[in-house]
């Protein structure tokens, strides 16, 4: 079921008082400043593409609408509560980083979907949502279900082309890491295909695979995965939200000019 996530600022501050991970921006500048917590080992992608539509919305002062689509990692399976899913925690981080701006994050996650199933919904539902940014979490189920890599690549390219043709800004979130998944050759092939398509199309890919692996190398434990050894736990979703938010902060073009229709 689609879940629309909106929180008041006071509720967000109360929920995240224990997580001092964001340096608030000066609201008159409308600059998004996000500092990930060191313990999350969040790293920025090597290439962060600009997001002109998202930037224009942010700088215009109007509400910024983000649609998160994907499978269980977007829906929030494994989280202790809906407010602990990565889209919900992303919304909280954005509101703390720039409280003068109204953000909305729409969660279109459906657990268990492969990319082709998600794309059916993406083509149907994204136009109805009028997003300033689409964040598509993709690849895990294709890797685990042995979807042919060529079919997966074609699905990914086609959907990205659809979004680009519409003029939507888009960012990809890649597959999670566990030692078991990292030993699966097909899983790694889908991971590599995701990276290749993102690079060739100029789309930013947030690699949680690399971030989760690095943290495990430091700690010696798989701390971001729940007891089922598949879905992320609350901390995993928080770290992913920080990684996405920090990437967004580096994708804003501050030379974007608000349109006349958005100026008050």
């Amino acid at each position: 079921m689609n879940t629309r996530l909106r929180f008041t600022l006071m509720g967000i501050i109360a929920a995240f008082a224990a997580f001092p991970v964001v340096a608030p921006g000066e609201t008159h500048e409308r600059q998004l400043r996000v500092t990930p917590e060191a313990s999350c080992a969040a790293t920025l992608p090597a290439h962060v593409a600009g997001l002109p539509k998202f930037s224009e919305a942010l700088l215009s002062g109007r509400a910024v609408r983000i649609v998160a689509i994907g499978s269980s990692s977007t829906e929030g399976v494994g989280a202790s509560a809906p407010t602990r899913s990565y889209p919900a925690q992303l919304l909280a981080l954005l509101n703390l980083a720039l409280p003068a701006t109204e953000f909305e994050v729409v969660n279109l996650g459906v657990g268990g979907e492969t990319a082709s199933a998600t794309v059916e919904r993406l083509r149907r539902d994204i136009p109805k949502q009028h997003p300033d940014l689409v964040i598509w979490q993709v690849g895990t189920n294709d890797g685990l279900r042995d979807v042919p890599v060529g079919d997966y690549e074609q699905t990914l390219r086609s959907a990205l082309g659809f979004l680009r043709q519409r003029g939507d800004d888009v960012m990809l979130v890649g597959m999670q890491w566990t030692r078991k998944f990292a030993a699966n050759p097909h899983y790694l092939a889908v991971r590599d295909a995701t990276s290749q398509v993102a690079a060739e199309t100029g789309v930013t890919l947030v690699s949680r695979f690399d971030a989760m692996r690095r943290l495990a190398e430091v700690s010696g434990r798989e701390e971001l995965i729940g007891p089922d050894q598949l879905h992320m736990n609350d901390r995993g979703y928080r770290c992913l939200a920080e990684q996405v938010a920090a990437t967004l902060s580096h994708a804003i073009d501050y030379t974007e000019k608000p349109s006349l229709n958005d100026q008050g």
Side-chain angles (χ1 to χ4, degrees):
M1 180 180 295
N2 297 346
T3 305
R4 193 169 182 165
L5 302 168
R6 304 193 67 160
F7 302 90
T8 65
L9 180 59
M10 292 304 295
I12 293 165
I13 292 174
F16 282 81
F19 304 140
V21 299
V22 179
E26 295 183 21
T27 58
H28 68 279
E29 295 178 354
R30 296 193 182 282
Q31 291 195 2
L32 186 63
R33 300 190 181 103
V34 180
T35 305
E37 189 175 273
S39 64
C40 281
T43 55
L44 292 174
H47 170 72
V48 179
L51 299 173
K53 191 174 181 180
F54 177 79
S55 299
E56 188 276 330
L58 184 69
L59 299 179
S60 72
R62 64 179 174 83
V64 181
R65 186 175 180 84
I66 299 171
V67 174
I69 193 165
S71 55
S72 56
S73 291
T74 301
E75 182 181 355
V77 176
S80 62
T83 54
R84 295 299 185 181
S85 69
Y86 109 73
Q89 298 202 58
L90 173 63
L91 175 61
L93 290 170
L94 294 176
N95 276 329
L96 283 172
L98 196 55
T101 297
E102 180 184 358
F103 291 95
E104 181 180 18
V105 178
V106 179
N107 188 334
L108 297 185
V110 175
E113 283 190 337
T114 59
S116 61
T118 301
V119 168
E120 291 183 12
R121 295 191 299 113
L122 182 149
R123 290 179 177 272
R124 182 189 69 229
D125 296 337
I126 291 298
K128 302 175 186 176
Q129 295 291 339
H130 306 289
D132 297 301
L133 172 65
V134 177
I135 304 177
W136 183 12
Q137 166 261 316
V138 66
T140 295
N141 290 320
D142 294 80
L144 295 177
R145 296 183 184 180
D146 293 328
V147 172
V149 174
D151 292 350
Y152 171 76
E153 285 187 353
Q154 183 177 358
T155 297
L156 196 57
R157 291 181 191 277
S158 176
L160 291 174
F162 168 78
L163 293 171
R164 284 289 183 84
Q165 188 174 28
R166 278 181 33 82
D168 291 321
D169 282 352
V170 59
M171 177 182 290
L172 295 177
V173 170
M175 303 150 69
Q176 66 259 49
W177 176 93
T178 70
R179 290 184 177 86
K180 181 179 179 180
F181 294 170
N184 181 335
H186 186 75
Y187 190 86
L188 297 180
V190 173
R191 177 205 60 178
D192 293 343
T194 307
S195 297
Q196 181 176 344
V197 171
E200 292 177 357
T201 57
V203 172
T204 299
L205 171 63
V206 175
S207 178
R208 56 178 172 153
F209 187 99
D210 290 339
M212 294 173 74
R213 178 182 59 190
R214 287 172 184 153
L215 181 61
E217 289 172 351
V218 171
S219 67
R221 299 184 300 276
E222 297 182 21
E223 298 177 333
L224 307 185
I225 293 291
D228 65 359
Q229 296 300 302
L230 171 61
H231 297 103
M232 300 178 83
N233 56 27
D234 287 354
R235 186 182 175 208
Y237 286 128
R238 176 166 63 89
C239 287
L240 176 57
E242 290 179 12
Q243 191 177 14
V244 171
T247 302
L248 286 178
S249 73
H250 284 74
I252 299 167
D253 181 359
Y254 289 102
T255 66
E256 283 287 328
K257 301 298 183 183
S259 66
L260 292 177
N261 291 335
D262 291 324
Q263 294 180 355

